[in-house]
Amino acid sequence: MTVRTASAALALLFALAVPAHAQGGRMETPPSREEARVPWRVIKGRLTRAAYERYTELPFDLPEGVARLTIRFRYGGKEQRSVIDLGLRDPHRFRGWSGGTRSSMTLSTEDATPGYLPGPLPAGCWNLILGAPNIREGAEAPYEAAIFIERQPTAIEFADAPISATAGWYRGDLHLHSGDSDGRCKAQSGASIACPVYRTVEAAAARGLDFIALSDHNTTAHYNALRELQGAFDKMLLIPGREITTFWGHANVFGPTDFLDFRMVGPTWSEARKWIDPVHREGGIVSVNHPGAPSGEICMGCGWRFGDLPDGAVDSIEVVNGGTMRETRSADGALQGFAAWNSLLNAGHHVTGIGGSDSHEADRPAAEAGSIGSPTTVVYMRDLSVRGFLDGVRAGRVFIDVEGTRDRVLDLVATIDGRRATMGQTLQARAGETILFTASLQGMTEGVVQLVIDGKADAPFRTTFARDRPASPWLWRTDGRTHWIRAEVRDGDGRLLLIGNPIYFTD
């Protein structure tokens, strides 16, 4: 009988919830990212028949300045049908109860494990509450509570383990809104309502995406819902996202969940660093949104008007915005982000190009531009996790699928005398050396692939391909200067389909 079946049987027999990770008398802990870290404190003990139908409290003094609290609990004696339920209270109030359903809990100001309340983590005496609905005469239930604290906010995972442990290309949407800001969808009556987070997540799952970053404006309200939903959507990674919305431009932030003060009084680095520096300290990414959009009454604060940001302030940039694409019917028109991206790259900044639907309507038909997943950003990750995503975007092994298909792939490889680089990497190229470029394409029967060199798409570096005729490689002789080169794919009518990220060249 499987563990799940055994737990279900016990639930029927005893009307008790037995954690599915436990079996027999061993004390087992489910794998998680916390296991590699040293607990701040470990509380050990044992319950006997004296604790039967009683509550035992395990006190611990939480210090000042804790940003996140995680408790992982395990116990033995299950072969004798011992059961321990869990709850928690802080110095001032009850924080939650999970009974025998969960073996761990995490709490922060913005989010908490379902069954527990998010909010400030006050210093003082906390109590882990143990309830014992069943302990037989003569039985013992040894337990261990490992307590982890984080004093500095970090980029967080809503899942305990990667959604997939396999390295590969993963497809997602990095710009979505729910009713926690200005996202809308239809109620049963047909009325337009502030769209609940779950409706936005459901729509993304129906589109077949591997990951999304819900990026509501300036708020942290959606994180608690995402933590709860991650368990139900166990094939799609939910990334903490937020659109920092200022009077002088918008930027998505990926990873951190703590409050970031967006209230700038001018478009200067001294003001912007008040929220950009914390993002980077916490391991997150800053990504400029729709930099080519106009600012003013048409789109208040939408255009990017920061002029003095140093190298490294911005990690990525939204090259294609789905809402703009819907309005202009173009993925590469003047209002998209190509000009801003080219300017950053030509200034020597290694900034990853991404796309985002900027969806504000979860039920917009998938065939329409700007619907969820249109465009899609495709990231090569070591595993499908928040950390895998952050590392993948920083590495630049990313391309944009404008139409949001499920199977198109673009990769670019540059080779010099056996030395090799792919998208996002840097290759040393001395004057007079010849570089061989090879484009790898999947999911298309015909089209045109073009190399873009320092922002220019020259005809000699354009080639057609078909089902029976793969794209020809290119040879390019270097001049010993710094360059960046990327690939893009169009159909026979010139419509942009795929946008690759650069390979960088130094002397």
Side-chain angles (χ1 to χ4, degrees):
M1 184 163 54
T2 65
V3 175
R4 181 174 295 177
T5 305
S7 297
L10 285 175
L12 289 172
L13 289 172
F14 297 99
L16 300 172
V18 177
H21 76 273
Q23 186 175 19
R26 296 171 295 168
M27 294 169 56
E28 299 177 350
T29 304
S32 77
R33 66 185 180 94
E34 300 287 350
E35 287 186 333
R37 300 171 50 200
V38 177
W40 166 72
R41 182 163 298 173
V42 177
I43 303 174
K44 296 182 179 181
R46 62 185 61 244
L47 297 185
T48 65
R49 180 66 175 183
Y52 172 58
E53 295 185 341
R54 297 289 187 272
Y55 296 101
T56 301
E57 297 201 347
L58 307 181
F60 59 94
D61 290 321
L62 199 68
E64 294 279 0
V66 174
R68 183 172 295 275
L69 168 67
T70 298
I71 301 175
R72 300 198 176 276
F73 187 81
R74 56 181 182 171
Y75 70 95
K78 296 179 180 67
E79 75 284 357
Q80 296 178 307
R81 301 294 190 260
S82 295
V83 176
I84 300 178
D85 294 340
L86 295 180
L88 185 68
R89 63 182 178 89
D90 70 20
H92 309 296
R93 63 173 178 153
F94 183 69
R95 294 299 290 263
W97 185 260
S98 54
T101 302
R102 302 183 190 281
S103 60
S104 66
M105 65 198 75
T106 186
L107 296 87
S108 75
T109 302
E110 289 78 21
D111 63 277
T113 297
Y116 294 85
L117 299 174
L121 306 178
C125 184
W126 288 59
N127 280 272
L128 179 63
I129 306 169
L130 310 184
N134 197 68
I135 296 182
R136 292 175 178 175
E137 290 283 0
E140 289 187 342
Y143 62 78
E144 178 180 296
I147 303 173
F148 301 84
I149 61 173
E150 297 179 34
R151 294 180 184 272
Q152 295 296 326
T154 60
I156 66 105
E157 310 265 0
F158 293 127
D160 285 336
I163 302 300
S164 170
T166 303
W169 294 108
Y170 291 101
R171 300 171 182 270
D173 193 337
L174 295 175
H175 196 165
L176 299 162
H177 296 281
S178 77
D180 278 331
S181 60
D182 51 355
R184 312 290 293 181
C185 58
K186 295 290 194 300
Q188 284 182 313
S189 65
S192 177
I193 61 166
C195 196
V197 171
Y198 84 90
R199 290 276 297 274
T200 303
V201 175
E202 278 186 335
R207 185 69 187 259
L209 298 178
D210 300 311
F211 64 87
I212 61 168
L214 191 59
S215 54
D216 283 319
H217 297 279
N218 292 331
T219 185
T220 62
H222 50 298
Y223 296 139
N224 199 48
L226 291 176
R227 178 170 288 280
E228 182 174 11
L229 289 169
Q230 182 64 90
F233 292 87
D234 58 356
K235 295 182 179 181
M236 183 172 69
L237 178 68
L238 305 182
I239 299 168
R242 190 179 341 170
E243 185 166 15
I244 299 297
T245 306
T246 79
F247 300 133
W248 300 279
H250 301 180
N252 272 353
V253 168
F254 305 120
T257 60
D258 60 309
F259 173 71
L260 298 168
D261 197 343
F262 57 89
R263 298 170 296 175
M264 298 172 56
V265 297
T268 64
W269 172 234
S270 61
E271 286 293 306
R273 71 182 307 169
K274 294 176 183 177
W275 56 269
I276 290 178
D277 282 351
V279 172
H280 289 148
R281 279 198 305 270
E282 296 167 26
I285 280 176
V286 175
S287 183
V288 175
N289 285 347
H290 41 65
S295 287
E297 291 184 358
I298 295 176
C299 193
M300 292 174 286
C302 291
W304 188 255
R305 294 184 285 160
F306 293 82
D308 65 342
L309 300 189
D311 188 15
V314 170
D315 306 285
S316 62
I317 186 168
E318 189 178 69
V319 178
V320 181
N321 176 276
T324 304
M325 187 164 60
R326 183 175 63 254
E327 294 297 325
T328 64
R329 298 185 180 183
S330 173
D332 55 350
L335 298 183
Q336 293 289 5
F338 286 91
W341 190 30
N342 289 346
S343 178
L344 286 168
L345 294 173
N346 286 333
H349 305 299
H350 291 198
V351 177
T352 301
I354 64 173
S357 69
D358 202 358
S359 168
H360 287 73
E361 297 172 282
D363 43 18
R364 180 177 290 278
E368 295 185 15
S371 61
I372 290 176
S374 175
T376 291
T377 299
V378 190
V379 183
Y380 192 91
M381 305 184 202
R382 66 172 185 269
D383 55 31
L384 185 54
S385 67
V386 172
R387 284 161 180 76
F389 162 77
L390 295 173
D391 290 345
V393 172
R394 288 193 193 98
R397 190 93 185 276
V398 177
F399 68 89
I400 304 166
D401 186 337
V402 173
E403 295 183 343
T405 71
R406 298 190 184 187
D407 58 354
R408 289 177 180 168
V409 174
L410 166 64
D411 204 356
L412 183 67
V413 176
T415 307
I416 306 175
D417 293 332
R419 293 179 288 118
R420 181 178 182 273
T422 60
M423 290 189 298
Q425 295 181 328
T426 299
L427 194 60
Q428 185 180 36
R430 291 179 290 271
E433 289 187 315
T434 298
I435 305 175
L436 174 67
F437 287 95
T438 305
S440 175
L441 305 171
Q442 297 177 28
M444 294 160 288
T445 57
E446 59 182 1
V448 178
V449 60
Q450 167 82 59
L451 288 188
V452 178
I453 303 174
D454 300 332
K456 298 178 181 179
D458 294 330
F461 298 99
R462 180 183 303 122
T463 184
T464 61
F465 64 91
R467 189 187 301 274
D468 58 349
R469 189 179 69 257
S472 301
W474 302 270
L475 294 174
W476 186 66
R477 187 172 295 276
T478 66
D479 55 12
R481 294 197 292 268
T482 299
H483 296 280
W484 58 270
I485 299 176
R486 64 175 182 84
E488 62 185 29
V489 178
R490 298 177 183 269
D491 66 12
D493 296 324
R495 290 187 308 116
L496 190 58
L497 302 178
L498 301 175
I499 303 158
N501 267 275
I503 299 174
Y504 303 94
F505 298 91
T506 61
D507 58 12

